[in-house]
Amino acid sequence: MLYREAGEFRTSYPDDSQTFPIAFDKFRYYAILAVLFVGVPFIVNDYWANAVLVPVLVWSIAALGLNILTGYCGQISLGTGGFMAVGAYSCYKLMTAFPDLNVVFCIFLSGFVTALVGIVFGVPSLRIKGFYLAVATLAAQFFLVWLFNGVPWFYNYSASGQITVPERTVFGIAVTGPYTEPWAKYLICMFFVFVLAWLARNLTRSSVGRSWMAIRDMDIAAEIIGVNPLKAKLQAFAVSSFFVGISGALFFSVYLGAVEASEAFGINQSFLVLFMVIIGGLGSIFGSFAGAAFIVLLPVLLKNLLVGRLSWPTDIATNSEFIIVGALIIFFLIVEPHGLAHLARLFKEKLRLWPFPH
Amino acid sequence: PWLSYRTGPFSPSGIPAGDGFHDYFSLLNERDGGIGGVPINVIDCETAYNTQKGVECYESTKGQGSLLYQPLSTGITYQLIPKGTAEGIPIFSMGYGRTAAADGRYFPWVFNFPAHYWDGASIAIKHILDLNGGDIAGKKITLVHLNAAYGREPIPTLQALAEVHGFEVDFVPIDFASSQEQKSQWLDIRRKKPDYILMWGWGIMNAVAIQEAANIRYPMENFIGIWWSGSENDVLPAGERAHGYKALALHRPGKGAPIFDDLQEYVFDKGLAAGTGEHAGTVLYNRGAYGAMLTAEAIKTAQEIHGVAEITPAMMRDGLENLVMTEEKMAANGFPNFGPSFAVSCENHGGGGEAWIQQWDAHATEWKLITDLIQSDKELINRLVREDAEKYAAENNIEPRDC
Amino acid sequence: MQGTLSAERERSRDALLSVNNIEVIYNHVILVLKGVSLEVPEGGIVALLGGNGAGKTTTLKAISNLLRSERGEVTKGSITYGGEPVQNLDPSALVRRGVIQVMEGRNCFEHLTIEENLLVGAFTRRDGASNVSQDLDLVYSYFPRLKDRRKSQAGYTSGGEQQLCVLGRALMSRPKMILLDEPSMGLAPQLVEEFFLIVKNLNEKEGVSFLLAEQNTNIALRFAQYGYILESGRVVLDGSASELRENPDVREFYLGMSESGRKSFRDVRSYRRRKRWLS
Amino acid sequence: MVEQLLYAIEVSLNGLMTGILYSLVALGFVLIFKASGVFNYAQGIMVLFAALTLVGLQAGQVPFAHLINAVFGTRIYSFGWNLPAIAAIALSAMVMVVLAMAVEKFILKFLVHQEPVILFMATIGLAYFLEGFGELMWGGEIKPLDLPLPVGISDTIESATFERFGYGFFIDKLDIAAACVAAVLVLSLVLFFQYSKIGRALRAVADDHQAALSVGISLRYIWVVIWSIAGIVGLAAGIMWGAKSGVQFSLSLIALKALPVLMLGGFTSIPGAILGGIIIGVGEKLFDFFMNPIIGGATENWFAYMLALIFLVFRPQGLFGERIIERV
Amino acid sequence: MSDKANSEAKPKNGSGEILMELKGISLRFGGVLAISDVSFDIKEGEIRAIIGPNGAGKSSMLNVISGFYHPQEGEIWFRGERRPSMRPHRVAAQGIARTFQNIALFKRMTTLDNIMTGRMTLMKSSFAAQALWWGPAEREETEHREKAERIIDFLGIQAIRKIPVGTLPYGLQKRVELGRALAAEPKLLLLDEPMAGMNVEEKEDMSRFILDVNDEFGTTIALIEHDMGVVMDISDRIVVMDYGKKIGDGRPAEIRNNQHVIDAYLGVAH
Ligand SMILES: Nc1ncnc2c1ncn2[C@@H]1O[C@H](COP(=O)(O)OP(=O)(O)OP(=O)(O)O)[C@@H](O)[C@H]1O
Ligand SMILES: Nc1ncnc2c1ncn2[C@@H]1O[C@H](COP(=O)(O)OP(=O)(O)OP(=O)(O)O)[C@@H](O)[C@H]1O
Ligand SMILES: [Mg+2]
Ligand SMILES: [Mg+2]
């Protein structure tokens, strides 16, 4: 019985609705946070920051956002790429229009702009459901990308149509632009991840979150017992887009530095985020992180292994990568359709019983 | 490193180009033991034409002593320009990337010789001027382009040229996602009957556009593509009907150059070919090999300047910046008269801005050069480049260096 | 008719269906059945009784092999039908051998009309369209309500109509053995009575065997010959229907009789009483 | 003015033809969705895979040549034969059947009775797999499709319309051929679904896997059948689209054009796919025609989706889709 | 079963005023006439049963009351006012809660969350406060949690508090559903076959819950049930429907002897 909850008694309901009701978990959580915020910045180098950590963090935010919409509220969306583009472009516009505004503010504001756009595209969800809705959200995806591509105002009339992030600082330290230190990039993303994960957690454990889940599990019944579907769905769209927008803003400003709508925010990105959410676990915050890490890191890992270690030709390696990723996705679904998060939960369950079989 | 894409939607173009690049360096390593006695290690990194993977490639390979990046994608080039600049690794985007990078004062680490997109636009118009005895006032010219940064590159140039020469120009953007179905665009073109069509397309869009042009019986000889819209991949699906299609050429097509004998002897016959070897002589293969040759020359130049064999990225940059391509050098490398002669300088990273026009002969299934080298309207182009570079510099607080 | 089978139980080799000491685990962790054995003789009606969560549904699904799609697994024991082990058969193969399950919870095909639902029931039959349509008429004559609604999509019919539809659908496959999971749920009283008469009829005339998980103990024990009582995944009591009916615990907890005859629901006072066999 | 009108008609006619080509792709989606409730994301890749197989077989390409050569240092690329078109098509169809069996055996079998989104995800995994597998097997180069299909402008129509209206209409012969293929396919599929016992069983499976199992429908059999048909329909789509652009990776992206068609026609309706295709085809061409001067081009990408979206707001199950049952 | 000597209705709690009145309700679906011109009332504090053969229109009636179906004809009066046609969630906010015939729980949520969702209409803290888990929001959550726990205790489902309800056995799900409806502290509680799929013992429990709710909180209850024993024992008045029409209305003793009802539904006298 390595992992125990016996002997853990909770005498009040607030205690019981804690994020980590088991003391061991809580302790571990603080330890991890400490390492992430204080330890990692000292050792992170360029490669780790730019190719591993920052993308994982940025994608995690997007996955968190989509998980709120799809995992908690049950509305499948394939418009994530488009909403990320909204975040990125509003961030760019804000940064260039108000050069003195703190970049952290800009990023939060882009989140709000995206939330508004999300609400607009969320309206049809009142009528359209399931895969029909999923396909319908592609309208948002294509329209938004077209818009940013086609209206020069969005890219400040630059000749190429690309947007490039200007350099901005926080406390005198550059966080955007080519001269940013890797640890600064990492920390700013970490900051957003932390704040947003905390918000997500709060929302999902309170009545807003329950109204989402009710809509997800059975929308008609939810309405009959008093959930306002209009409100719940639009809230979910807004919050989800808020997250996705911030992720897009970070993707542009901190991670890539320069983007073009059709390439950086294409339909593939939408699918990618959806994979993360499903592989990680629908309706699980931890799952969003696990999924993002899985989808971002697996190809990198495979590439390092196949090309770096085994020196396969790049094309064979890449094709094999696809084959392996595809097969792994299927394998995971077969082993555990409810994602990595559920797998972790089962594992814990077994650990709790261990060494007794049942 | 060579950021290649042998997979994904653009693999038909990425494969031959990658083969050419690799094979040339394999040849140097096999035949000459490298450059100046130092074997060249070409790091291949697969991007599938995807920006993010490109960044990952950059980050993962830059620690391995990379001298220079050939991103082979305009989108990735944009990512790498600030990164390379900040970290002091030169970026060589041959005939693509950011046009303004031709201005070496603002882009000290970025090179796009021998010619860039705006040169291309100007050269195409020059060709049309030549066909019409120098007067194209009132003619209608349509640009069919990919609706992306790359495709929009020539628009300002064409507008500027239209003012100068008094032709009408209009633009038909095609989104990548719908580039397989261009019927409405081509019906529109059929109705408007432009005198000439230019194309800035990529991937499957080229092939479909040429098919559709053939379908509406557009006279192929009035249809001119940029050098990225002029490979065998683009014309073959249309078969016979693509006969007469023209495209700009940065270098010679075909297997005529002596270098191919060496490649056969030292690379293909030894089983060292990067791919199947069967692409040798195709436009994109030659582009890869040509790019490799230019790179090798720049390395040699760098070695000469600094007097060492093992060079650093900074030296590499100097090599690129002082590269002088002459006919003799090309001939010595087995590429006689293969590309234009040009000289790179501190101020000019864009080369001479010359290119040929090639035409597709569907019966012989080969490209043929039909003109001499055409020089772009450098005065106009340089002005545009300077303006754009200055704008970029102003946005990003970059001070020009003195040249 | 009751009681005639008590001796027969010894001759388990004759049993059409026999379940030997099976254990079922869901999701690799939740142990639900902890060694259940039971037998259904050829031509018998056997009732499976037990409270909510006792494991009746799980037992039936284990037999019909529908467990796998619920991520459940039979980890111990064996199940044989007509002497042949059936654990590794596809559910559809089992249907072709004549074992059909009526699932709990009115699993109609929502988008199909009632009539289509019934016809799908005959999917495995190979004896020609005319026989099928004859049986269709038969089902309609059993349940005239279905005939009224034959053209409506099953998803839009009332709960009871759906229940009838599922029952009728099972009959359409001309089974040798039917596993019934709470057939009486949501049916009007007189229909329940009629349905059990049909069961009895099929049993007697056509020799169809039944395994019947039922909450309506009263009626189940009236029609069954033998019964098993399941509690928390174990068989706690079994015996012929008449024996069970006489058992004081069964009388109190399953038939709702107190010493002084039937109690009124209004007078029940305490919620949590212990059953004698559990204490 | 008259010319404008004539042009608009021409554009619509072409849209109609294109629309039918879209529906050919959409049909594959419909089949699988209708029969098993699975939204098969891999349909686009299946189109590509089928076409690659066809071309590869026909040209006598050695599968996995690149891999084999890399591993064994050999230099084999081709068997050196050239199969006749009919034989190659038949063989490719067989390959698609084998693929269907493999999908059932290694994926679907384990995912009975899971939520639709899980199955959807599994098909995404399949798409990844096939994408890598297809390219590894046949290589990433572009390959012209060598079938005797008619292409180019139809002179008969052009001259006939020119005589009548003084304006020659442009209709692609390939489009006409595709429309005929689509019509034949749709008709036979509709008949199949309507009049066979399997048709009903398929719809039952789509409604509820477990209940279908309980009445003795063998899911495995059904899945193999329907994925095979979808694969063969994919082959047809691959041939038609491959004739336009050569067979290469981008062929799989055509799926994106099929989705709005699917949505508009209803996920479960075969005639819906055709009608949806026509509406989308005509609609997007006309929209481009009218709006291009105002808001700039390249609207086709999103217009189809917007059209479908607006339409769905009024009819959430699409044109002919099965009504979404809302009951408690 | 007919031999039992059952009590007549106990003295009514509450004022006996009319809480809800349905006047001339007709409901059609295409060609199907599900309800035709049915009128009845529900008095404050009573237990009102609706019975009738399958497909008689009982569930549809509850759906009309809870605003899910909108009848083509007829009026609904609630607490003395005519109720305009409104969305179900607004009806719920007025204090009408219900359970469903085919269990409609939120399958992937835990028992506790399901019951907390039942309190949705009573929770007031703002979106922002919840996002920040700010004082009032946390306090409110705790308060409601206490109430939910009381219901859990009351129904004796403590052990399954944290289990996703989807895997629970049928009977327990029914109980959770009742809990969810109770959590809304409704004025009027609608129960659609709350005891289907239960054995006698469990039915006894369920009856007890219903009677207690009725007694202690004075909640008015309308219930549909096919078990005549239960219906006759615990209800105060019964409406009988058949083929969408009302064929009887009255106290259990009257209904039991009503010939129409016996013919159409009971089969034999109960
Ligand atoms: N898919 C599942 N996953 C996990 N546990 C399950 C699953 N299905 C059933 N169980 C558990 O198995 C136990 C037995 O359930 P089962 O449905 O067999 O009971 P039952 O006797 O049919 O009850 P009821 O009379 O209420 O239908 C229950 O405790 C239930 O929680
Ligand atoms: N949404 C709907 N569309 C079409 N018909 C419907 C709809 N809802 C109910 N019906 C029909 O109306 C009639 C009454 O249904 P209802 O569900 O009210 O019956 P019920 O009295 O509850 O029966 P049961 O006891 O079987 O649950 C049925 O014949 C049913 O098929
Ligand atoms: Mg059960
Ligand atoms: Mg009902």
Side-chain angles (χ1 to χ4, degrees), chain C residues 63-105:
Chain C
I63 297 169
S64 62
N65 269 330
L66 287 171
L67 261 189
R68 226 170 291 147
S69 53
E70 299 238 0
R71 307 194 84 70
E73 217 182 338
V74 179
T75 50
K76 272 195 204 141
S78 65
I79 301 170
T80 58
Y81 172 73
E84 173 198 17
V86 291
Q87 266 144 298
N88 295 318
L89 287 184
D90 208 56
S92 66
L94 214 56
V95 176
R96 257 173 273 130
R97 282 170 177 66
V99 184
I100 195 156
Q101 175 173 9
V102 174
M103 286 199 292
E104 158 187 80

Side-chain angles (χ1 to χ4, degrees), chain D residues 80-115:
Chain D
W81 73 55
N82 241 329
L83 281 185
I86 292 294
I89 290 176
L91 271 178
S92 310
M94 266 155 67
V95 171
M96 294 318 282
V97 173
V98 171
L99 177 71
M101 288 159 133
V103 167
E104 192 281 327
K105 187 153 178 59
F106 296 111
I107 306 176
L108 296 174
K109 189 172 105 184
F110 300 102
L111 294 175
V112 180
H113 198 53
Q114 292 298 340
E115 284 153 57

Side-chain angles (χ1 to χ4, degrees), chain E residues 133-153:
Chain E
W133 203 244
W134 190 34
E138 189 178 355
R139 263 199 310 282
E140 184 180 44
E141 184 79 12
T142 315
E143 253 167 51
H144 285 266
R145 173 75 191 270
E146 271 161 21
K147 300 244 170 73
E149 290 289 347
R150 272 220 288 283
I151 290 170
I152 289 177
D153 278 347

Side-chain angles (χ1 to χ4, degrees), chain C residues 158-160, chain E residues 58-59 101 192-193 224:
Chain C
S158 83
Chain E
K58 307 180 293 298
S59 301
Q101 181 170 15
D192 199 343
E193 301 194 13
I224 298 175

Side-chain angles (χ1 to χ4, degrees), chain E residues 134-254:
Chain E
W134 190 34
E138 189 178 355
R139 263 199 310 282
E140 184 180 44
E141 184 79 12
T142 315
E143 253 167 51
H144 285 266
R145 173 75 191 270
E146 271 161 21
K147 300 244 170 73
E149 290 289 347
R150 272 220 288 283
I151 290 170
I152 289 177
D153 278 347
F154 175 70
L155 295 175
I157 46 178
Q158 296 92 333
I160 54 164
R161 201 193 266 129
K162 293 273 170 86
I163 297 180
V165 294
T167 60
L168 294 177
Y170 198 88
L172 275 184
Q173 293 196 15
K174 284 252 159 197
R175 225 184 264 201
V176 176
E177 214 186 14
L178 177 65
R180 185 179 68 185
L182 287 181
E185 296 174 8
K187 281 269 152 334
L188 175 60
L189 179 62
L190 311 172
L191 303 173
D192 199 343
E193 301 194 13
M195 294 170 212
M198 296 196 176
N199 64 21
V200 173
E201 182 195 10
E202 289 151 353
K203 279 179 182 164
E204 286 171 357
D205 286 357
M206 213 56 168
S207 310
R208 200 60 258 158
F209 297 141
I210 293 170
L211 290 168
D212 281 356
V213 172
N214 183 242
D215 271 349
E216 284 175 26
F217 309 117
T219 309
T220 312
I221 294 171
L223 101 159
I224 298 175
E225 183 51 60
H226 284 302
D227 185 319
M228 280 308 106
V230 174
V231 172
M232 296 294 167
D233 285 355
I234 69 172
S235 56
D236 297 316
R237 288 192 302 157
I238 301 175
V239 181
V240 190
M241 294 180 67
D242 186 22
Y243 282 101
K245 293 196 196 59
K246 184 169 97 172
I247 56 166
D249 190 351
R251 297 189 171 277
E254 297 159 23

Side-chain angles (χ1 to χ4, degrees), chain C residues 118-129:
Chain C
L118 295 177
L119 289 174
V120 167
F123 182 76
T124 47
R125 283 174 63 170
R126 296 275 174 273
D127 54 356

